[in-house]
Amino acid sequence: MGFREVVGQDRAKALLQNALTAHRVAHAYLFAGPAGSGRREMAGAFAQALFCERGGNDACGECLECRKVMHGNHPDLHIISPDGATVKIEQIRTLQRELAYRSVGAGYKVYIIEAAETMTVQASNSLLKFLEEPPSPVVAILLAPSAQAVLPTILSRSQLVSFVPGDREALENALVQEGKSPLLARAAVNLASGLHSSRKLVEENWFADIRNVVIQLGKENPTRFTASLLQAQQQVFKTDLSEHVEILLQLLALWYRDMIYAMTDRQAQMVFPDQAEWISKQAWSRSIQSWVAVMESALTAARRIKAHVAPQLALEQFLVNVREG
Ligand SMILES: [Zn+2]
């Protein structure tokens, strides 16, 4: 954790660190930027720096306060995420009650509202009063895809911190510098958002296996459909990999995107550069539109798993679509 862990976003980082240095921390911040731009990591780093016993403009990572944040059990750090599709007024009321108690220490209380754009109107209005008269010293950090995604009244009471789209190359380089496999790092930064979650993915012992299965499935399909179904059965559903079919499908979509990259002379961006030769030969067997359709079909299957369709069913239907596509 700490600002060191946030890759890129130098302007946002400087704004927050200057506020810490000058002891001019605002009551409320709106972190506006697309998913994967590191908003959540930055919010964690900022909160940790606010709590850190050593003060300064970055967390020390060693003191008791820092360790509580890193272990996810700091009593004065509250994280609100949507309950179902929206952040509801009950959640804001509960938060307000919790913040009304005196702080355990004398320091800050911090709350982070993830997907603040999903706040219901009632929740927004309830939060608004709170932003106007915050029980000092409370710091609110709202995360949203853009400044326009929240009510103007919320925006006007927050300091806007803009995030640029995530820099995958910087993330990848950071992981490789840590000694991670370049091929796994490339795949992870295309699947996860931010350094922390990309690193977590690379460190999962099943991730390299999933990548290998994707290469095999990608190569079998669509010419040997029966073989690929059999392979899916054996390699995925009879092993621990069955818990990770969603990632498998997302990675498979990237395999098909590599086909398009091969056809459009963007080999340098491939997620499977070690397979570039095979991919470049096979890519022309279909049109770009057809690869786009297959890619979308893989992503649809992944979303269906998220919506609780049985993974085996979702994968098999996808394989049928690929053959027919
Ligand atoms: Zn510390």
Side-chain angles (χ1 to χ4, degrees):
M1 284 268 250
F3 287 109
R4 293 170 298 270
E5 279 287 286
V6 185
V7 175
Q9 306 299 351
D10 293 337
R11 279 187 63 187
K13 207 183 285 182
L15 189 152
L16 297 171
Q17 292 198 291
N18 289 343
L20 287 163
T21 307
H23 301 285
R24 291 177 64 97
V25 174
H27 288 309
Y29 290 89
L30 177 66
F31 285 10
S37 55
R39 295 168 307 172
R40 184 62 183 78
E41 285 89 350
M42 191 78 88
F46 188 43
Q48 195 179 5
L50 286 168
F51 291 131
C52 179
E53 289 168 8
R54 300 204 191 156
N57 68 356
D58 200 355
C60 72
E62 288 161 9
C63 70
L64 183 61
E65 295 288 305
C66 277
R67 276 183 282 139
K68 283 189 212 162
V69 174
M70 290 188 286
H71 294 148
N73 59 7
H74 197 292
D76 290 325
L77 177 60
H78 304 269
I79 296 161
I80 311 289
S81 40
D83 173 13
T86 56
V87 173
K88 299 182 169 59
I89 187 166
E90 292 77 18
Q91 294 177 275
I92 301 296
R93 285 189 179 141
T94 307
L95 173 74
Q96 287 164 346
R97 272 197 300 277
E98 281 171 358
L99 289 172
Y101 295 121
R102 280 193 53 187
S103 184
V104 183
Y108 284 104
K109 292 185 179 194
V110 179
Y111 62 95
I112 300 171
I113 302 186
E114 297 178 327
E117 75 280 7
T118 68
M119 278 191 291
T120 63
V121 175
Q122 294 93 323
S124 292
N125 287 333
S126 175
L127 181 69
L128 202 56
K129 287 178 208 140
F130 199 58
L131 289 177
E132 281 168 349
E133 304 154 22
S136 199
V138 172
V139 177
I141 306 171
L142 280 57
L143 314 186
S146 70
Q148 293 73 34
V150 298
L151 290 180
T153 42
I154 297 247
L155 177 61
S156 68
R157 283 161 183 80
S158 315
Q159 173 156 10
L160 179 64
V161 184
S162 296
F163 284 64
V164 292
D167 183 350
R168 284 190 176 136
E169 205 181 314
L171 281 179
E172 188 182 326
N173 290 339
L175 289 173
V176 172
Q177 268 169 22
E178 289 176 13
K180 304 281 187 283
S181 143
L183 289 175
L184 293 183
R186 170 72 59 97
V189 301
N190 275 276
L191 291 167
S193 56
L195 186 60
H196 180 68
S197 34
S198 300
R199 182 192 293 128
K200 232 177 114 193
L201 204 49
V202 172
E203 286 173 350
E204 295 285 358
N205 47 26
W206 48 263
F207 190 56
D209 295 337
I210 284 276
R211 190 180 181 279
N212 287 333
V213 172
V214 165
I215 293 171
Q216 288 177 37
L217 269 180
K219 285 186 176 178
E220 289 289 354
N221 238 334
T223 40
R224 291 177 56 207
F225 179 67
T226 322
S228 70
L229 255 190
L230 214 63
Q231 204 160 35
Q233 298 279 5
Q234 283 173 354
Q235 296 205 7
V236 179
F237 295 108
K238 286 181 181 165
T239 68
D240 294 342
L241 297 185
S242 58
E243 288 164 40
H244 311 292
V245 179
E246 194 181 326
I247 293 274
L248 185 148
L249 283 161
Q250 288 167 350
L251 196 51
L252 204 51
L254 296 174
W255 170 270
Y256 297 117
R257 193 180 68 183
D258 275 5
M259 298 287 174
I260 300 166
Y261 282 170
M263 295 166 85
T264 51
D265 214 17
R266 284 184 288 171
Q267 278 84 353
Q269 288 167 262
M270 282 185 169
V271 173
F272 297 89
D274 53 329
Q275 307 296 322
E277 207 185 318
W278 192 93
I279 288 173
S280 300
K281 272 187 211 152
Q282 293 300 311
W284 300 93
S285 65
R286 285 179 181 230
S287 65
I288 288 182
Q289 289 87 337
S290 165
W291 288 125
V292 170
V294 175
M295 225 183 108
E296 281 170 356
S297 176
L299 293 174
T300 303
R303 278 194 294 271
R304 294 182 69 207
I305 292 171
K306 190 166 257 148
H308 307 297
V309 169
Q312 186 158 6
L313 184 67
L315 181 63
E316 286 176 2
Q317 282 183 348
F318 161 73
L319 291 172
V320 172
N321 288 342
V322 177
R323 189 179 54 163
E324 290 168 353

